[in-house]
Coordinates of all heavy atoms in Angstrom, one line a residue:
M299 N 109.3 93.1 70.2 CA 109.4 93.0 71.6 C 110.9 93.3 72.0 O 111.0 93.9 73.1 CB 109.1 91.4 72.0 CG 110.2 90.5 72.2 SD 109.5 88.9 72.5 CE 110.2 87.9 71.3
V300 N 111.8 93.2 71.2 CA 113.1 93.7 71.6 C 113.3 95.1 71.6 O 113.9 95.7 72.3 CB 114.2 93.0 70.6 CG1 115.6 93.5 70.9 CG2 114.2 91.5 70.7
K301 N 112.5 95.7 70.6 CA 112.6 97.2 70.5 C 112.1 97.9 71.8 O 112.6 98.8 72.3 CB 111.7 97.7 69.3 CG 112.4 97.5 68.0 CD 111.5 98.2 66.9 CE 112.0 97.9 65.6 NZ 111.1 98.6 64.6
S302 N 111.1 97.4 72.3 CA 110.4 97.8 73.6 C 111.4 97.8 74.7 O 111.4 98.6 75.6 CB 109.1 97.2 74.0 OG 109.5 95.7 74.2
S303 N 112.3 96.8 74.7 CA 113.2 96.7 75.8 C 114.3 97.7 75.7 O 114.7 98.4 76.7 CB 113.9 95.4 75.9 OG 114.8 95.0 74.8
F304 N 114.6 98.1 74.5 CA 115.6 99.2 74.3 C 115.0 100.5 74.6 O 115.5 101.5 75.1 CB 116.3 99.2 72.8 CG 117.2 100.3 72.6 CD1 118.5 100.1 73.1 CD2 116.9 101.2 71.8 CE1 119.4 101.1 72.9 CE2 117.8 102.3 71.6 CZ 119.2 102.2 72.0
I305 N 113.7 100.7 74.0 CA 113.0 102.0 74.2 C 112.8 102.3 75.7 O 112.6 103.4 76.0 CB 111.8 101.9 73.4 CG1 112.2 101.9 71.9 CG2 111.0 103.2 73.6 CD1 110.8 101.8 70.9
S306 N 112.7 101.2 76.4 CA 112.4 101.5 77.9 C 113.6 102.3 78.6 O 113.3 102.9 79.6 CB 112.1 100.1 78.6 OG 113.3 99.5 78.7
F307 N 114.9 102.3 77.9 CA 115.9 103.1 78.6 C 115.6 104.6 78.3 O 116.2 105.4 79.0 CB 117.2 102.7 77.9 CG 117.7 101.3 78.3 CD1 117.9 100.4 77.3 CD2 117.9 101.0 79.5 CE1 118.3 99.2 77.5 CE2 118.4 99.7 79.8 CZ 118.5 98.6 78.9
I308 N 114.8 104.9 77.3 CA 114.7 106.2 76.9 C 113.3 106.8 77.7 O 112.3 106.1 77.8 CB 114.4 106.3 75.4 CG1 115.5 105.8 74.7 CG2 114.0 107.7 75.1 CD1 115.1 105.6 73.1
P309 N 113.5 108.0 78.2 CA 112.3 108.7 79.0 C 111.0 108.6 78.1 O 111.1 108.8 76.9 CB 112.8 110.0 79.3 CG 114.3 110.0 79.2 CD 114.7 108.9 78.3
Q310 N 110.0 108.5 78.8 CA 108.6 108.5 78.1 C 108.4 109.5 77.1 O 107.9 109.3 76.0 CB 107.5 108.5 79.1 CG 106.1 108.3 78.5 CD 106.0 107.0 77.9 OE1 106.5 105.9 78.2 NE2 105.1 106.9 76.9
K311 N 108.7 110.8 77.3 CA 108.4 112.0 76.4 C 109.3 111.9 75.2 O 108.8 112.4 74.2 CB 108.4 113.3 77.0 CG 109.8 113.7 77.6 CD 109.6 115.1 78.3 CE 111.2 115.5 78.5 NZ 111.1 116.8 79.1
E312 N 110.4 111.3 75.3 CA 111.5 111.3 74.1 C 111.2 110.1 73.2 O 111.8 110.1 72.2 CB 112.8 111.3 74.7 CG 113.3 112.5 75.4 CD 114.6 112.5 75.9 OE1 115.4 111.5 75.5 OE2 115.1 113.3 76.7
K313 N 110.3 109.3 73.5 CA 110.1 107.9 72.7 C 109.6 108.4 71.4 O 110.0 107.8 70.5 CB 109.1 107.0 73.3 CG 109.7 106.2 74.5 CD 108.6 105.3 75.1 CE 109.1 104.6 76.3 NZ 108.2 103.6 76.7
E314 N 108.7 109.3 71.3 CA 107.9 109.7 70.2 C 108.9 110.4 69.2 O 108.9 110.4 68.0 CB 106.6 110.4 70.2 CG 105.4 109.6 70.9 CD 105.7 109.5 72.4 OE1 106.4 110.4 73.0 OE2 105.2 108.6 73.0
E315 N 109.7 111.3 69.8 CA 110.5 112.2 69.1 C 111.9 111.6 68.7 O 112.6 112.0 67.8 CB 110.8 113.4 69.9 CG 109.6 114.2 70.5 CD 110.0 115.1 71.6 OE1 111.1 115.2 71.9 OE2 109.0 115.8 72.0
N316 N 112.3 110.5 69.3 CA 113.7 110.2 69.3 C 113.9 108.9 68.4 O 115.0 108.3 68.4 CB 114.2 109.8 70.7 CG 115.6 110.1 71.1 OD1 116.1 110.8 70.1 ND2 116.1 109.7 72.2
K317 N 113.0 108.6 67.4 CA 113.2 107.4 66.6 C 114.2 107.6 65.5 O 114.8 106.7 64.8 CB 111.8 107.0 66.0 CG 110.9 106.4 67.0 CD 109.8 105.8 66.4 CE 108.9 105.2 67.4 NZ 107.7 104.6 67.0
G318 N 114.6 109.0 65.4 CA 115.6 109.3 64.4 C 117.0 109.4 65.0 O 117.9 109.7 64.4
A319 N 117.1 109.1 66.3 CA 118.3 109.2 67.0 C 119.4 108.1 66.5 O 118.8 107.0 66.1 CB 118.2 109.1 68.4
V320 N 120.6 108.4 66.5 CA 121.7 107.6 66.1 C 121.5 106.2 66.7 O 121.6 105.1 66.2 CB 123.0 108.1 66.2 CG1 124.0 107.2 65.7 CG2 123.1 109.4 65.3
E321 N 121.2 106.1 68.1 CA 121.3 105.0 68.9 C 120.1 104.2 68.5 O 120.3 102.9 68.4 CB 121.3 105.4 70.3 CG 122.4 105.9 70.8 CD 122.5 107.4 70.9 OE1 121.7 108.0 70.2 OE2 123.2 108.0 71.5
F322 N 119.0 104.8 68.2 CA 117.8 104.0 67.9 C 118.1 103.4 66.4 O 117.7 102.1 66.2 CB 116.5 104.8 67.8 CG 115.2 104.0 67.6 CD1 114.6 103.4 68.6 CD2 114.8 103.8 66.3 CE1 113.5 102.6 68.4 CE2 113.6 103.1 66.1 CZ 113.0 102.6 67.2
Q323 N 118.6 104.1 65.5 CA 118.9 103.5 64.1 C 119.8 102.4 64.1 O 119.7 101.3 63.4 CB 119.3 104.7 63.2 CG 118.3 105.7 62.9 CD 118.9 106.7 61.9 OE1 119.8 106.6 61.2 NE2 118.3 108.0 62.1
V324 N 121.0 102.5 64.9 CA 121.9 101.5 65.2 C 121.3 100.2 65.8 O 121.5 99.1 65.2 CB 123.1 102.0 65.9 CG1 124.1 100.8 66.2 CG2 123.9 103.0 65.1
F325 N 120.4 100.5 66.8 CA 119.8 99.3 67.3 C 118.8 98.7 66.4 O 118.7 97.4 66.3 CB 118.9 99.9 68.4 CG 118.0 98.8 69.1 CD1 118.6 97.8 69.9 CD2 116.6 98.8 68.9 CE1 117.9 96.8 70.5 CE2 115.9 97.8 69.5 CZ 116.5 96.8 70.4
S326 N 118.1 99.4 65.6 CA 117.1 98.8 64.6 C 117.9 98.1 63.5 O 117.7 96.9 63.0 CB 116.2 99.8 63.9 OG 116.9 100.8 63.2
F327 N 119.0 98.6 63.0 CA 120.0 97.9 62.1 C 120.5 96.7 62.7 O 120.7 95.7 62.0 CB 121.0 98.9 61.6 CG 120.6 99.9 60.6 CD1 121.2 101.2 60.6 CD2 119.7 99.7 59.6 CE1 120.9 102.1 59.7 CE2 119.3 100.6 58.7 CZ 119.8 101.9 58.8
T328 N 121.0 96.6 63.9 CA 121.5 95.5 64.6 C 120.4 94.3 64.6 O 120.7 93.2 64.4 CB 122.0 95.9 66.0 OG1 122.9 96.9 65.8 CG2 122.6 94.6 66.6
N329 N 119.2 94.8 64.9 CA 118.1 93.7 64.9 C 117.9 93.1 63.5 O 117.8 91.8 63.5 CB 116.9 94.2 65.4 CG 116.7 94.4 66.9 OD1 117.6 93.8 67.6 ND2 115.9 95.3 67.4
R330 N 118.0 93.9 62.5 CA 117.8 93.4 61.2 C 118.9 92.5 60.7 O 118.8 91.5 60.2 CB 117.6 94.6 60.2 CG 116.3 95.2 60.4 CD 116.1 96.4 59.5 NE 116.2 96.2 58.1 CZ 116.2 97.0 57.0 NH1 116.3 98.3 57.4 NH2 116.4 96.7 55.9
I331 N 120.2 92.9 61.2 CA 121.5 92.1 60.9 C 121.3 90.8 61.6 O 121.7 89.8 60.9 CB 122.6 92.9 61.4 CG1 122.9 94.1 60.3 CG2 123.8 91.9 61.5 CD1 123.9 95.1 61.0
R332 N 120.9 90.8 62.8 CA 120.7 89.4 63.4 C 119.7 88.5 62.8 O 120.0 87.3 62.7 CB 120.5 89.7 65.0 CG 121.8 90.3 65.7 CD 121.4 90.5 67.1 NE 122.8 91.0 67.7 CZ 122.9 91.7 68.7 NH1 121.7 92.2 69.4 NH2 123.9 92.2 69.2
R333 N 118.6 89.2 62.4 CA 117.5 88.4 61.8 C 118.2 87.8 60.4 O 117.9 86.6 60.0 CB 116.3 89.1 61.4 CG 115.4 89.2 62.7 CD 114.1 89.8 62.5 NE 114.4 91.3 62.1 CZ 113.7 92.1 61.4 NH1 112.6 91.6 61.0 NH2 114.0 93.4 61.3
L334 N 118.7 88.6 59.7 CA 119.2 88.2 58.3 C 120.3 87.1 58.5 O 120.5 86.2 57.7 CB 119.8 89.4 57.6 CG 118.8 90.1 56.7 CD1 119.3 91.4 56.1 CD2 118.2 89.3 55.6
T335 N 121.2 87.2 59.5 CA 122.3 86.3 59.6 C 121.7 84.9 60.0 O 122.2 83.9 59.4 CB 123.1 86.8 60.8 OG1 123.6 88.1 60.5 CG2 124.3 85.7 61.1
S336 N 120.7 84.9 60.9 CA 120.0 83.6 61.1 C 119.2 83.0 60.0 O 119.3 81.9 59.8 CB 119.1 83.8 62.3 OG 117.9 84.5 62.0
H337 N 118.7 84.0 59.0 CA 118.1 83.5 57.8 C 119.1 82.8 56.9 O 119.0 81.8 56.3 CB 117.4 84.6 57.2 CG 117.0 84.4 55.8 ND1 115.9 83.6 55.5 CD2 117.6 84.7 54.6 CE1 115.7 83.5 54.1 NE2 116.6 84.2 53.5
L338 N 120.4 83.6 56.8 CA 121.3 83.1 55.9 C 122.0 81.8 56.4 O 122.7 81.2 55.5 CB 122.4 84.2 55.6 CG 121.8 85.4 54.7 CD1 122.9 86.5 54.9 CD2 121.6 84.8 53.3
E339 N 121.9 81.5 57.6 CA 122.5 80.1 58.2 C 121.6 79.1 57.6 O 122.2 77.9 57.2 CB 122.5 80.1 59.7 CG 123.6 81.0 60.2 CD 123.4 81.0 61.7 OE1 122.4 80.5 62.3 OE2 124.2 81.6 62.4
L340 N 120.3 79.3 57.3 CA 119.4 78.3 56.7 C 119.5 78.2 55.1 O 119.5 77.2 54.5 CB 118.1 78.5 57.1 CG 117.7 78.2 58.7 CD1 116.3 78.6 58.9 CD2 118.0 76.7 59.1
H341 N 119.6 79.4 54.6 CA 119.6 79.5 53.1 C 120.9 80.3 52.7 O 121.0 81.5 52.5 CB 118.4 80.5 52.7 CG 117.2 80.2 53.4 ND1 116.4 79.0 52.8 CD2 116.4 80.5 54.5 CE1 115.3 78.8 53.6 NE2 115.3 79.8 54.6
K342 N 121.9 79.4 52.6 CA 123.3 79.8 52.2 C 123.3 80.4 50.8 O 124.3 81.3 50.6 CB 124.1 78.6 52.3 CG 124.4 78.1 53.7 CD 125.3 76.9 53.7 CE 125.6 76.3 55.2 NZ 124.6 76.6 56.1
K343 N 122.4 80.1 49.9 CA 122.5 80.6 48.6 C 121.7 81.8 48.2 O 121.3 82.1 47.0 CB 122.3 79.5 47.5 CG 123.5 78.4 47.6 CD 123.5 77.5 46.5 CE 124.6 76.6 46.6 NZ 124.7 75.8 45.5
D344 N 121.1 82.4 49.2 CA 120.2 83.6 49.2 C 121.0 84.7 48.9 O 121.3 85.5 49.9 CB 119.2 83.7 50.3 CG 118.2 84.7 50.0 OD1 118.2 85.4 49.0 OD2 117.3 84.7 50.9
F345 N 121.4 85.1 47.7 CA 122.4 86.2 47.4 C 121.8 87.5 47.6 O 122.6 88.4 48.0 CB 123.1 85.9 46.0 CG 123.8 84.6 46.0 CD1 123.4 83.6 45.1 CD2 124.9 84.4 46.7 CE1 124.1 82.4 44.9 CE2 125.6 83.2 46.6 CZ 125.1 82.2 45.9
L346 N 120.5 87.7 47.3 CA 119.8 88.9 47.4 C 119.8 89.3 48.9 O 120.0 90.5 49.3 CB 118.4 88.9 46.9 CG 118.4 88.7 45.5 CD1 117.0 88.7 45.0 CD2 119.1 90.0 44.7
S347 N 119.6 88.3 49.8 CA 119.6 88.6 51.2 C 121.1 89.1 51.7 O 121.2 89.8 52.5 CB 119.0 87.5 52.1 OG 117.7 87.4 51.8
Q348 N 122.0 88.4 51.1 CA 123.4 88.6 51.4 C 123.8 90.1 51.0 O 124.4 90.8 51.8 CB 124.3 87.7 50.7 CG 124.4 86.3 51.2 CD 125.4 85.4 50.4 OE1 126.2 85.9 49.7 NE2 125.3 84.1 50.7
R349 N 123.2 90.5 49.9 CA 123.5 91.8 49.4 C 122.9 92.9 50.3 O 123.5 93.9 50.8 CB 123.0 92.0 48.0 CG 123.2 93.5 47.5 CD 122.8 93.5 46.0 NE 123.0 94.9 45.5 CZ 122.2 95.9 45.4 NH1 121.0 95.6 45.8 NH2 122.6 97.0 44.9
G350 N 121.6 92.5 50.7 CA 121.0 93.4 51.7 C 121.6 93.6 53.0 O 121.7 94.6 53.7
L351 N 122.3 92.5 53.5 CA 123.0 92.4 54.8 C 124.1 93.3 54.7 O 124.4 93.9 55.5 CB 123.3 91.0 55.1 CG 124.3 90.7 56.4 CD1 123.3 91.1 57.5 CD2 124.5 89.2 56.4
R352 N 124.8 93.1 53.5 CA 126.1 94.0 53.3 C 125.7 95.5 53.4 O 126.4 96.2 53.9 CB 126.8 93.7 52.1 CG 127.6 92.4 52.2 CD 128.5 92.1 51.0 NE 128.3 90.9 50.7 CZ 127.8 90.5 49.5 NH1 127.3 91.3 48.7 NH2 127.7 89.2 49.2
K353 N 124.6 95.8 52.8 CA 124.1 97.3 52.7 C 123.8 97.8 54.2 O 124.2 98.8 54.6 CB 123.0 97.5 51.7 CG 123.4 97.3 50.2 CD 122.1 97.4 49.5 CE 121.8 98.9 49.4 NZ 121.5 99.4 48.1
I354 N 123.1 96.9 54.8 CA 122.7 97.3 56.2 C 124.0 97.4 57.0 O 124.2 98.4 57.9 CB 121.9 96.3 56.9 CG1 120.5 96.3 56.1 CG2 121.4 96.7 58.3 CD1 119.5 95.2 56.4
L355 N 124.8 96.5 56.9 CA 126.2 96.5 57.7 C 126.9 97.9 57.4 O 127.4 98.5 58.2 CB 127.1 95.3 57.4 CG 126.7 94.0 58.0 CD1 127.5 93.0 57.4 CD2 127.0 94.1 59.4
G356 N 127.0 98.3 56.2 CA 127.7 99.5 55.8 C 126.9 100.8 56.4 O 127.6 101.7 56.9
K357 N 125.7 100.7 56.4 CA 124.8 101.9 56.9 C 125.2 102.0 58.5 O 125.5 103.0 58.9 CB 123.4 101.7 56.8 CG 122.9 101.9 55.4 CD 121.5 101.7 55.2 CE 121.0 101.8 53.9 NZ 119.5 101.8 53.8
R358 N 125.2 100.7 59.2 CA 125.4 100.8 60.6 C 126.8 101.1 60.9 O 127.0 102.0 61.8 CB 125.2 99.4 61.2 CG 125.3 99.4 62.6 CD 125.1 98.1 63.3 NE 126.2 97.1 63.0 CZ 126.4 96.0 63.5 NH1 125.4 95.4 64.3 NH2 127.4 95.2 63.3
Q359 N 127.8 100.8 60.1 CA 129.2 101.2 60.3 C 129.3 102.7 60.1 O 130.0 103.4 60.9 CB 130.0 100.4 59.3 CG 131.5 100.8 59.5 CD 132.4 100.0 58.5 OE1 131.9 99.3 57.5 NE2 133.8 100.0 58.7
R360 N 128.7 103.3 59.1 CA 128.8 104.7 58.9 C 128.3 105.5 60.1 O 128.8 106.4 60.5 CB 128.1 105.1 57.6 CG 129.0 104.7 56.4 CD 128.4 105.5 55.2 NE 127.1 105.0 54.8 CZ 126.7 104.0 54.2 NH1 127.6 103.2 53.6 NH2 125.5 103.8 53.8
L361 N 127.0 105.1 60.7 CA 126.4 105.7 61.8 C 127.3 105.6 63.0 O 127.4 106.4 63.8 CB 125.1 105.1 62.0 CG 123.9 105.5 61.2 CD1 122.6 104.8 61.5 CD2 123.7 106.9 61.5
L362 N 127.9 104.4 63.2 CA 128.8 104.1 64.3 C 130.1 105.0 64.2 O 130.6 105.6 65.2 CB 129.2 102.7 64.4 CG 128.2 101.8 65.0 CD1 128.6 100.3 64.9 CD2 127.8 102.2 66.5
V363 N 130.7 105.1 63.1 CA 131.8 106.1 62.9 C 131.4 107.5 63.3 O 132.1 108.2 63.9 CB 132.4 106.0 61.5 CG1 133.4 107.1 61.1 CG2 133.0 104.7 61.2
Y364 N 130.2 107.8 62.7 CA 129.7 109.3 63.1 C 129.6 109.4 64.5 O 130.0 110.5 65.1 CB 128.4 109.5 62.4 CG 127.6 110.8 62.8 CD1 128.1 112.1 62.4 CD2 126.7 110.6 63.7 CE1 127.4 113.2 62.9 CE2 125.9 111.8 64.2 CZ 126.3 113.0 63.7 OH 125.7 114.1 64.3
L365 N 129.0 108.5 65.2 CA 128.9 108.7 66.6 C 130.1 108.5 67.4 O 130.3 109.3 68.4 CB 127.9 107.5 67.2 CG 127.3 107.6 68.6 CD1 126.6 108.9 68.8 CD2 126.6 106.4 69.0
S366 N 131.0 107.8 66.9 CA 132.3 107.8 67.7 C 133.1 109.0 67.6 O 133.8 109.5 68.6 CB 133.2 106.6 67.1 OG 133.6 106.9 65.9
K367 N 132.9 109.9 66.4 CA 133.6 111.0 66.3 C 132.8 112.1 67.0 O 133.4 113.1 67.5 CB 133.8 111.4 64.8 CG 134.7 110.5 64.0 CD 134.6 111.0 62.5 CE 135.5 110.1 61.8 NZ 135.5 110.5 60.2
K368 N 131.6 112.1 67.0 CA 130.7 113.1 67.7 C 130.7 113.0 69.2 O 130.9 114.0 69.9 CB 129.3 113.0 67.2 CG 128.5 114.3 67.2 CD 129.1 115.2 66.1 CE 128.0 116.4 66.0 NZ 128.5 117.4 65.3
N369 N 130.5 111.9 69.7 CA 130.3 111.6 71.1 C 130.9 110.2 71.5 O 130.0 109.4 71.4 CB 129.0 111.9 71.6 CG 128.8 112.0 73.0 OD1 129.6 111.6 73.9 ND2 127.6 112.6 73.4
R370 N 132.1 110.2 72.1 CA 132.7 108.9 72.3 C 132.1 108.2 73.6 O 132.0 107.0 73.4 CB 134.3 109.2 72.6 CG 135.0 108.0 72.7 CD 135.3 107.5 71.3 NE 136.1 106.3 71.3 CZ 136.4 105.6 70.2 NH1 135.7 105.8 69.2 NH2 137.2 104.6 70.3
V371 N 131.5 108.8 74.5 CA 130.8 108.3 75.5 C 129.6 107.4 75.1 O 129.3 106.4 75.6 CB 130.6 109.3 76.7 CG1 129.8 108.7 77.9 CG2 131.9 109.9 77.3
R372 N 128.7 108.3 74.4 CA 127.6 107.6 73.9 C 127.8 106.4 73.1 O 127.2 105.2 73.1 CB 126.6 108.6 73.0 CG 126.0 109.5 74.0 CD 125.2 110.7 73.2 NE 124.5 110.2 72.0 CZ 124.1 111.1 71.0 NH1 124.4 112.3 71.1 NH2 123.3 110.6 70.0
Y373 N 129.0 106.4 72.2 CA 129.4 105.4 71.3 C 129.6 104.2 72.2 O 129.3 103.0 71.9 CB 130.5 105.9 70.5 CG 131.3 104.7 69.7 CD1 130.6 104.1 68.7 CD2 132.5 104.3 70.1 CE1 131.2 103.1 68.0 CE2 133.0 103.4 69.5 CZ 132.5 102.8 68.4 OH 133.1 101.7 67.7
K374 N 130.6 104.3 73.2 CA 131.0 103.2 74.1 C 129.8 102.6 74.7 O 129.7 101.4 74.9 CB 132.0 103.7 75.1 CG 133.4 104.1 74.6 CD 134.1 102.7 74.1 CE 135.6 103.1 73.9 NZ 136.3 102.0 73.5
K375 N 128.9 103.3 75.2 CA 127.7 102.8 76.0 C 126.9 102.0 75.0 O 126.3 101.0 75.3 CB 126.9 104.0 76.5 CG 125.7 103.6 77.3 CD 125.0 104.9 77.9 CE 123.6 104.4 78.6 NZ 122.8 105.6 78.9
L376 N 126.7 102.5 73.8 CA 125.9 101.8 72.7 C 126.4 100.6 72.3 O 125.9 99.5 72.4 CB 125.7 102.8 71.6 CG 124.7 102.1 70.4 CD1 123.4 101.9 70.9 CD2 124.9 103.0 69.2
I377 N 127.8 100.5 72.1 CA 128.4 99.1 71.7 C 128.3 98.2 72.9 O 128.4 97.1 72.6 CB 129.6 99.3 71.1 CG1 130.7 100.0 71.9 CG2 129.7 100.1 69.8 CD1 132.2 99.9 71.3
G378 N 128.5 98.8 74.0 CA 128.3 97.9 75.2 C 127.0 97.3 75.4 O 126.9 96.1 75.7
Q379 N 125.9 98.1 75.1 CA 124.6 97.5 75.2 C 124.2 96.6 74.3 O 123.6 95.6 74.5 CB 123.5 98.7 75.2 CG 123.4 99.5 76.4 CD 122.4 100.7 76.2 OE1 122.0 101.0 75.0 NE2 122.0 101.1 77.3
L380 N 124.7 96.7 73.0 CA 124.3 96.0 71.8 C 125.3 94.8 71.7 O 125.1 93.9 70.9 CB 124.3 96.7 70.6 CG 123.3 97.9 70.6 CD1 123.3 98.5 69.2 CD2 121.8 97.2 70.6
D381 N 126.4 94.8 72.5 CA 127.4 93.7 72.4 C 128.0 93.5 71.0 O 127.8 92.5 70.3 CB 126.8 92.4 72.9 CG 127.8 91.4 73.2 OD1 129.0 91.7 73.6 OD2 127.6 90.1 73.0
I382 N 128.4 94.6 70.4 CA 129.0 94.6 69.0 C 130.5 95.0 69.1 O 130.8 95.7 70.0 CB 128.3 95.5 68.0 CG1 128.0 96.8 68.4 CG2 126.9 94.8 67.7 CD1 127.3 97.7 67.5
R383 N 131.3 94.7 68.2 CA 132.6 95.1 68.2 C 132.8 96.6 67.8 O 132.0 97.1 67.1 CB 133.3 94.3 67.2 CG 133.6 92.8 67.6 CD 134.4 92.0 66.6 NE 133.6 91.8 65.4 CZ 134.1 91.3 64.2 NH1 135.4 91.0 64.2 NH2 133.3 91.1 63.3
E384 N 133.9 97.1 68.2 CA 134.1 98.5 68.0 C 134.6 98.7 66.6 O 135.2 97.8 66.0 CB 135.4 98.9 68.9 CG 135.5 100.5 68.9 CD 136.4 100.9 70.2 OE1 136.6 100.0 71.1 OE2 137.0 101.9 70.1
V385 N 134.3 99.8 65.9 CA 134.5 100.2 64.5 C 136.0 100.4 64.3 O 136.6 101.1 65.2 CB 133.6 101.4 64.1 CG1 133.9 101.7 62.8 CG2 132.2 101.1 64.4
K386 N 136.5 99.7 63.2 CA 137.9 100.0 62.9 C 138.0 101.4 62.3 O 137.2 101.8 61.4 CB 138.4 99.0 61.9 CG 138.5 97.6 62.4 CD 139.0 96.7 61.4 CE 139.0 95.3 61.8 NZ 139.4 94.4 60.8
T387 N 138.9 102.2 62.7 CA 139.0 103.6 62.2 C 140.5 103.6 61.5 O 141.3 102.9 61.9 CB 139.0 104.6 63.4 OG1 140.0 104.4 64.4 CG2 137.6 104.7 63.9
R388 N 140.5 104.5 60.6 CA 141.6 104.5 59.7 C 142.7 105.4 60.2 O 142.4 106.4 61.0 CB 141.5 104.9 58.3 CG 140.6 104.1 57.7 CD 140.2 104.4 56.3 NE 139.3 103.6 55.7 CZ 138.7 103.8 54.5 NH1 139.1 104.8 53.7 NH2 137.8 102.9 54.1

């Protein structure tokens, strides 16, 4: 149900083609991160889920760094929509 609200920003004809877009991938990783975070609040010793969370966080961070270098305007808009912090750059 959350995916449909984000996809509604995308024009109808691009919905089928655009699931590989950086914004869509970051959005889906963010949803998975939020679900895993709430799961880990209940199950503190679930170390396999912690490992999975760290892997997803790394993938999302790499995508955000790529997007910030490629197109800063799209990056700012995306982090504003998803309410996430800006990526630290070296």
Side-chain angles (χ1 to χ4, degrees):
M299 103 180 117
V300 178
K301 282 185 185 178
S302 63
S303 66
F304 180 73
I305 295 175
S306 65
F307 293 118
I308 302 169
Q310 182 65 27
K311 67 178 183 178
E312 294 181 11
K313 281 184 186 179
E314 295 83 22
E315 304 167 359
N316 219 7
K317 291 189 178 185
V320 176
E321 289 91 348
F322 188 84
Q323 290 181 26
V324 170
F325 175 75
S326 62
F327 284 146
T328 303
N329 283 339
R330 289 175 63 190
I331 288 167
R332 289 181 178 151
R333 276 188 293 157
L334 275 172
T335 304
S336 65
H337 168 78
L338 287 172
E339 287 173 357
L340 295 174
H341 308 281
K342 293 179 178 20
K343 294 190 176 186
D344 188 354
F345 299 115
L346 290 177
S347 292
Q348 287 179 14
R349 180 175 184 262
L351 177 63
R352 280 190 231 110
K353 288 180 74 134
I354 295 170
L355 283 169
K357 287 181 185 180
R358 185 180 75 172
Q359 182 179 10
R360 286 192 299 272
L361 281 172
L362 286 171
V363 167
Y364 166 78
L365 187 62
S366 70
K367 288 179 182 177
K368 205 71 167 163
N369 191 338
R370 194 72 177 171
V371 175
R372 283 173 48 196
Y373 168 74
K374 288 285 190 180
K375 182 180 175 185
L376 181 65
I377 62 170
Q379 282 179 344
L380 296 178
D381 194 33
I382 55 179
R383 288 184 284 177
E384 196 164 334
V385 176
K386 294 179 184 177
T387 55
R388 294 178 190 177

